[in-house]
Amino acid sequence: MLFDLTMPLSGATTPVPGHPCPTFSPLHELERDGIRNTVVEMSLHTGTHVDAPSHIVGDGLTIDEIPCERFERRGIRIDLRERARPETPITLEDLYEGGFDPDVAAGSILLLNSGWTDLHMDLSTLYG
């Protein structure tokens, strides 16, 4: 079974520190132009995204070079809500304390639940 983990994207989405908040500006309006279209401005490091190897490795793959199937695998949730702090990197010890088991996790995607999304995104602005 596949789960879509994509976070909603809006002006309320908290970007990586130092990056601008996303903005949405009408380009065309349905009533005026017969079509609706919006210009979105944001850093690529805003909201749900995957850092391609090329982000930190000179000759690393770009995101369009990574097959989608690579992201279709079992996910293992690691609960870091009691350990993760914005000013402190997540350590291997934190992962183990959160339930990480390398034998079970082999070939899986780790889902790190830091709880930060709950603190930094007001979903009521999206859903009323």
Side-chain angles (χ1 to χ4, degrees), residues 40-122:
V40 179
E41 291 186 50
M42 64 182 211
S43 161
L44 290 176
H45 292 279
T46 302
T48 307
H49 68 280
V50 174
D51 281 341
S54 65
H55 180 59
I56 58 172
V57 177
D59 61 349
L61 295 176
T62 58
I63 196 65
D64 61 308
E65 296 173 322
I66 301 173
C68 290
E69 295 79 26
R70 182 160 178 191
F71 303 105
E72 294 179 16
R73 43 184 85 203
R74 181 177 66 148
I76 297 178
R77 180 180 169 270
I78 306 294
D79 189 349
L80 299 171
R81 290 174 293 174
E82 297 297 320
R83 294 163 192 82
R85 300 290 174 264
E87 66 281 353
T88 307
I90 295 171
T91 66
L92 187 55
E93 181 180 330
D94 292 329
L95 295 178
Y96 280 114
E97 289 177 10
F100 174 68
D101 179 336
D103 294 327
V104 173
S108 299
I109 294 175
L110 293 183
L111 306 169
L112 306 181
N113 180 9
S114 66
W116 294 353
T117 300
D118 297 337
L119 296 172
H120 295 285
M121 187 167 192
D122 182 2

